Amino acid sequence: MADALTIRGLEVRYGDRVALTDVDLDVPAGTSLAVIGPNGSGKSTLLRAVAGLAEPTAGTIARPGSGTVAMVLQSTEVDRSLPISVRDTVGLGRYPRVGLLRRFAAADRAAIAASLDRLDIADLANRQLHHLSGGQRQRVMVAQGLAQEADLLLLDEPVTGLDLVSRQAILDAVDAELAAGRTVVTTTHDLDDARRCDQVLLVAGRPVALGPPAEVLRDDALRRAFGSQVVRLGADGDLLLDDPHHDHHDHAEHPDHPRHTDQPHHHH
């Protein structure tokens, strides 16, 4: 199977702070990768580097199939005051294909309609984005990513802190992308979400473990990455991550931010 993504010796710095280093990674086409780790571990940095939004300090990122990439941001990064409809927000996903000056063709309109349907937000198409709930807004952002019809889909914590209906709609949409032969890389805080993926990369500023979920999501590796945040319930109980800032985002990892720590966002 061909690789959709090949990374060798990747390092990304913001100023003189190393956000992520020593990443070697192969993601076969048509498979899913979960990137899991504590706040500030470089999960979002990895996605940003693959999307071309963060410049590698060292190493290489190759997409051998030279396929297209879509990056789905968290809806918390959307300007709440921006007057834009749900349909137009999803339509922004088509601009990489059509350019800003060309009019949408039937194929563009069909892709937008299909993406709205798949996230079950067609009935919200004419609503203003800022009038929606957090879960609905996140579904709009995922629909925007799907509308790009990219070969490689990057999702930054797509279901963190969402209501169950929105969460399930997004997980179903991701499953459908994989079934259609696309490749999905998603960051997560959730061990169960990570277990759904073909392989898991556990990071803490650098890779701690990489492989199938059953090999990576084990006590020793999780403790190396998360430290005291790993809690076991009972002698044979489930592993849990006791993360006080479950609802977070790494996007404070930018050189123009005075603090380079992750700021928790609460968008319940």
Side-chain angles (χ1 to χ4, degrees), residues 113-162:
S115 300
L116 289 166
D117 277 338
R118 283 174 55 191
L119 276 303
D120 200 20
I121 49 175
D123 56 324
L124 303 175
N126 297 318
R127 296 270 300 278
Q128 292 289 302
L129 186 62
H130 61 262
H131 288 157
L132 303 186
S133 72
Q136 289 169 332
R137 279 207 317 281
Q138 188 65 27
R139 280 190 270 166
V140 173
M141 301 315 291
V142 173
Q144 183 190 83
L146 298 188
Q148 292 186 45
E149 299 181 313
D151 303 296
L152 175 60
L153 186 63
L154 309 174
L155 300 156
D156 200 7
E157 299 240 354
V159 294
T160 299
L162 296 192

Coordinates of all heavy atoms in Angstrom, one line a residue, residues 113-162:
A113 N -23.5 20.5 -0.8 CA -24.7 19.9 -0.4 C -24.5 18.5 0.3 O -25.0 18.2 1.3 CB -25.7 19.7 -1.6
A114 N -23.6 17.7 -0.3 CA -23.3 16.4 0.2 C -22.6 16.5 1.6 O -22.9 15.8 2.5 CB -22.4 15.6 -0.7
S115 N -21.7 17.5 1.8 CA -21.1 17.7 3.0 C -22.0 18.1 4.1 O -22.0 17.7 5.3 CB -19.9 18.7 2.9 OG -19.0 18.3 1.9
L116 N -23.0 19.0 3.8 CA -24.0 19.4 4.7 C -24.8 18.2 5.1 O -25.1 18.1 6.3 CB -24.9 20.5 4.1 CG -24.3 21.9 3.9 CD1 -25.1 22.7 2.9 CD2 -24.1 22.6 5.2
D117 N -25.2 17.4 4.2 CA -26.0 16.2 4.5 C -25.3 15.3 5.4 O -25.8 14.8 6.4 CB -26.3 15.5 3.2 CG -27.6 16.1 2.5 OD1 -28.4 16.7 3.2 OD2 -27.7 15.9 1.3
R118 N -24.0 15.0 5.1 CA -23.3 14.0 5.9 C -23.1 14.4 7.3 O -23.0 13.6 8.2 CB -21.9 13.8 5.2 CG -22.1 12.9 4.0 CD -20.8 12.7 3.2 NE -19.7 12.2 4.1 CZ -18.5 12.1 3.7 NH1 -18.1 12.6 2.5 NH2 -17.6 11.6 4.5
L119 N -23.0 15.7 7.6 CA -22.9 16.2 9.0 C -24.3 16.5 9.6 O -24.4 17.0 10.7 CB -22.0 17.3 9.1 CG -20.5 17.0 9.2 CD1 -20.2 16.1 10.4 CD2 -19.9 16.4 7.9
D120 N -25.3 16.2 8.8 CA -26.7 16.4 9.3 C -27.0 17.9 9.7 O -27.6 18.2 10.7 CB -27.0 15.5 10.5 CG -28.5 15.3 10.6 OD1 -29.3 15.6 9.7 OD2 -28.9 14.9 11.8
I121 N -26.5 18.8 8.8 CA -26.7 20.2 9.1 C -27.3 21.0 7.9 O -27.3 22.2 7.8 CB -25.4 20.9 9.5 CG1 -24.3 20.6 8.5 CG2 -25.0 20.6 10.9 CD1 -23.0 21.3 8.7
A122 N -27.9 20.2 6.9 CA -28.5 20.8 5.8 C -29.6 21.8 6.2 O -29.8 22.8 5.5 CB -29.1 19.7 4.8
D123 N -30.3 21.4 7.3 CA -31.4 22.3 7.7 C -30.9 23.6 8.3 O -31.7 24.5 8.5 CB -32.3 21.5 8.7 CG -31.5 21.0 9.9 OD1 -30.3 20.6 9.7 OD2 -32.0 21.1 11.1
L124 N -29.6 23.7 8.6 CA -29.0 24.9 9.1 C -28.3 25.7 8.1 O -27.7 26.7 8.4 CB -28.0 24.5 10.2 CG -28.5 23.6 11.4 CD1 -27.3 23.2 12.3 CD2 -29.6 24.3 12.2
A125 N -28.4 25.3 6.8 CA -27.6 25.9 5.8 C -27.7 27.5 5.7 O -26.7 28.1 5.4 CB -28.0 25.3 4.4
N126 N -28.9 28.0 6.0 CA -29.0 29.5 5.8 C -28.8 30.2 7.2 O -28.9 31.4 7.2 CB -30.4 29.8 5.3 CG -30.6 29.2 3.9 OD1 -29.7 29.3 3.0 ND2 -31.7 28.6 3.6
R127 N -28.6 29.5 8.2 CA -28.4 30.1 9.5 C -27.0 30.8 9.6 O -26.1 30.4 8.9 CB -28.4 29.0 10.7 CG -29.8 28.4 10.8 CD -30.7 29.1 11.8 NE -30.1 29.2 13.1 CZ -30.2 28.3 14.0 NH1 -30.8 27.1 13.8 NH2 -29.7 28.5 15.2
Q128 N -26.9 31.8 10.4 CA -25.6 32.4 10.6 C -24.7 31.5 11.5 O -25.2 31.0 12.5 CB -25.8 33.8 11.3 CG -26.4 34.8 10.4 CD -25.5 35.2 9.3 OE1 -24.4 35.7 9.5 NE2 -25.9 35.0 8.0
L129 N -23.5 31.4 11.2 CA -22.6 30.5 11.9 C -22.5 30.8 13.4 O -22.6 29.9 14.2 CB -21.2 30.6 11.3 CG -20.1 29.6 11.8 CD1 -20.5 28.2 11.5 CD2 -18.7 30.0 11.2
H130 N -22.5 32.1 13.7 CA -22.3 32.5 15.1 C -23.6 32.3 15.9 O -23.6 32.4 17.1 CB -21.8 33.9 15.3 CG -22.7 34.9 14.7 ND1 -22.5 35.5 13.4 CD2 -23.8 35.6 15.2 CE1 -23.5 36.4 13.2 NE2 -24.3 36.4 14.2
H131 N -24.7 31.9 15.3 CA -25.9 31.6 16.0 C -26.0 30.1 16.5 O -27.0 29.7 17.1 CB -27.2 31.9 15.2 CG -27.4 33.4 15.1 ND1 -28.1 33.9 14.0 CD2 -27.0 34.4 15.8 CE1 -28.1 35.3 14.2 NE2 -27.4 35.6 15.2
L132 N -25.1 29.3 16.0 CA -25.1 27.9 16.3 C -24.5 27.5 17.6 O -23.7 28.2 18.2 CB -24.4 27.1 15.2 CG -24.8 27.3 13.7 CD1 -24.1 26.4 12.8 CD2 -26.3 27.2 13.6
S133 N -24.8 26.3 18.1 CA -24.2 25.7 19.3 C -22.7 25.3 18.9 O -22.4 25.2 17.7 CB -24.9 24.5 19.8 OG -24.7 23.4 18.9
G134 N -21.9 25.1 19.9 CA -20.6 24.7 19.7 C -20.5 23.4 18.9 O -19.6 23.3 18.0
G135 N -21.3 22.5 19.2 CA -21.3 21.2 18.4 C -21.7 21.4 17.0 O -21.1 20.8 16.1
Q136 N -22.7 22.2 16.8 CA -23.1 22.5 15.4 C -22.1 23.2 14.6 O -21.8 22.9 13.5 CB -24.4 23.3 15.4 CG -25.7 22.5 15.9 CD -26.8 23.5 16.1 OE1 -26.7 24.7 16.4 NE2 -28.0 22.9 16.0
R137 N -21.4 24.2 15.3 CA -20.3 24.9 14.6 C -19.2 24.0 14.2 O -18.6 24.1 13.2 CB -19.8 26.0 15.5 CG -20.6 27.3 15.4 CD -19.8 28.5 15.7 NE -18.9 28.4 16.8 CZ -19.2 28.4 18.1 NH1 -20.5 28.6 18.5 NH2 -18.3 28.3 19.1
Q138 N -18.9 23.0 15.1 CA -17.8 22.1 14.8 C -18.2 21.2 13.7 O -17.3 20.9 12.8 CB -17.5 21.2 16.1 CG -16.2 20.4 15.9 CD -14.9 21.2 15.8 OE1 -14.8 22.3 16.2 NE2 -14.0 20.6 15.1
R139 N -19.4 20.8 13.6 CA -19.9 20.0 12.4 C -19.7 20.8 11.1 O -19.4 20.2 10.1 CB -21.3 19.5 12.6 CG -21.4 18.3 13.5 CD -22.8 17.8 13.5 NE -23.7 18.3 14.5 CZ -25.0 18.2 14.5 NH1 -25.6 17.6 13.5 NH2 -25.7 18.7 15.5
V140 N -20.0 22.1 11.2 CA -19.8 23.0 10.0 C -18.4 23.0 9.6 O -18.0 22.9 8.4 CB -20.3 24.4 10.3 CG1 -20.0 25.3 9.1 CG2 -21.8 24.4 10.6
M141 N -17.4 23.0 10.5 CA -16.0 23.1 10.2 C -15.6 21.7 9.5 O -14.8 21.7 8.6 CB -15.1 23.3 11.4 CG -15.4 24.7 12.1 SD -15.6 26.1 11.0 CE -13.9 26.2 10.4
V142 N -16.1 20.6 10.1 CA -15.8 19.3 9.5 C -16.4 19.2 8.1 O -15.7 18.8 7.1 CB -16.3 18.2 10.3 CG1 -16.1 16.8 9.6 CG2 -15.5 18.2 11.7
A143 N -17.6 19.7 7.9 CA -18.2 19.7 6.6 C -17.4 20.6 5.6 O -17.3 20.2 4.4 CB -19.7 20.3 6.6
Q144 N -16.8 21.7 6.0 CA -16.0 22.5 5.2 C -14.8 21.7 4.7 O -14.3 21.7 3.6 CB -15.5 23.7 6.0 CG -14.7 24.7 5.2 CD -14.1 25.8 6.0 OE1 -13.0 25.6 6.7 NE2 -14.7 26.9 6.1
G145 N -14.2 20.9 5.7 CA -13.1 20.0 5.3 C -13.5 19.0 4.3 O -12.8 18.7 3.3
L146 N -14.6 18.4 4.5 CA -15.1 17.3 3.5 C -15.4 17.9 2.2 O -15.1 17.2 1.2 CB -16.4 16.7 4.1 CG -16.3 15.9 5.4 CD1 -17.6 15.2 5.6 CD2 -15.2 14.9 5.4
A147 N -15.8 19.1 2.1 CA -16.2 19.8 0.8 C -15.0 19.9 0.0 O -15.1 20.1 -1.3 CB -16.8 21.1 1.1
Q148 N -13.8 19.9 0.6 CA -12.5 20.0 -0.2 C -12.2 18.8 -1.0 O -11.4 18.8 -1.9 CB -11.3 20.4 0.7 CG -11.4 21.8 1.3 CD -10.2 22.1 2.1 OE1 -9.1 21.9 1.6 NE2 -10.4 22.7 3.2
E149 N -12.9 17.6 -0.6 CA -12.7 16.4 -1.3 C -11.2 16.1 -1.4 O -10.7 15.6 -2.4 CB -13.3 16.3 -2.6 CG -14.8 16.5 -2.5 CD -15.5 16.5 -3.9 OE1 -15.1 17.1 -4.8 OE2 -16.6 15.8 -4.0
A150 N -10.4 16.3 -0.3 CA -9.0 16.1 -0.2 C -8.7 14.6 0.0 O -9.5 13.9 0.5 CB -8.4 17.0 0.8
D151 N -7.5 14.3 -0.4 CA -7.0 12.9 -0.2 C -6.6 12.7 1.2 O -6.7 11.5 1.7 CB -5.8 12.6 -1.1 CG -6.1 12.8 -2.6 OD1 -7.0 12.1 -3.1 OD2 -5.6 13.8 -3.2
L152 N -6.1 13.7 1.9 CA -5.6 13.6 3.3 C -6.4 14.6 4.1 O -6.4 15.8 3.8 CB -4.1 13.9 3.3 CG -3.4 14.0 4.7 CD1 -3.6 12.7 5.4 CD2 -2.0 14.3 4.5
L153 N -7.1 14.1 5.1 CA -7.9 15.0 6.0 C -7.2 15.1 7.4 O -7.0 14.1 8.0 CB -9.3 14.4 6.1 CG -10.4 15.2 6.8 CD1 -10.7 16.5 6.1 CD2 -11.7 14.4 7.0
L154 N -7.0 16.3 7.8 CA -6.3 16.6 9.1 C -7.4 17.2 10.0 O -8.0 18.2 9.7 CB -5.2 17.5 9.0 CG -4.1 17.2 7.9 CD1 -3.1 18.3 7.8 CD2 -3.4 15.8 8.2
L155 N -7.6 16.6 11.2 CA -8.7 17.0 12.1 C -8.0 17.3 13.5 O -7.5 16.4 14.1 CB -9.7 16.0 12.3 CG -10.5 15.6 11.0 CD1 -11.1 14.2 11.1 CD2 -11.6 16.6 10.7
D156 N -8.1 18.6 13.9 CA -7.5 18.9 15.2 C -8.6 18.8 16.3 O -9.5 19.7 16.4 CB -6.9 20.3 15.1 CG -5.9 20.6 16.2 OD1 -5.5 19.6 16.9 OD2 -5.4 21.7 16.3
E157 N -8.4 17.8 17.1 CA -9.4 17.5 18.3 C -10.8 17.8 17.8 O -11.6 18.6 18.4 CB -9.1 18.5 19.4 CG -7.7 18.2 20.0 CD -7.6 17.8 21.4 OE1 -8.7 17.8 22.1 OE2 -6.6 17.5 21.9
P158 N -11.3 17.0 16.8 CA -12.6 17.3 16.2 C -13.8 17.1 17.1 O -14.9 17.7 16.9 CB -12.6 16.4 15.0 CG -11.7 15.2 15.4 CD -10.6 15.9 16.2
V159 N -13.7 16.2 18.1 CA -14.9 15.9 18.9 C -14.7 16.3 20.4 O -15.5 15.9 21.2 CB -15.3 14.4 18.8 CG1 -15.7 14.2 17.4 CG2 -14.2 13.5 19.2
T160 N -13.6 16.9 20.8 CA -13.4 17.3 22.2 C -14.5 18.2 22.7 O -14.7 19.2 22.2 CB -12.0 18.0 22.3 OG1 -11.0 17.1 21.9 CG2 -11.8 18.4 23.8
G161 N -15.1 17.8 23.8 CA -16.1 18.6 24.5 C -17.4 18.8 23.8 O -18.1 19.7 24.1
L162 N -17.7 17.9 22.8 CA -18.9 18.1 22.0 C -20.1 17.3 22.6 O -19.9 16.3 23.3 CB -18.7 17.7 20.6 CG -17.7 18.5 19.7 CD1 -17.8 18.1 18.3 CD2 -17.9 20.0 19.9

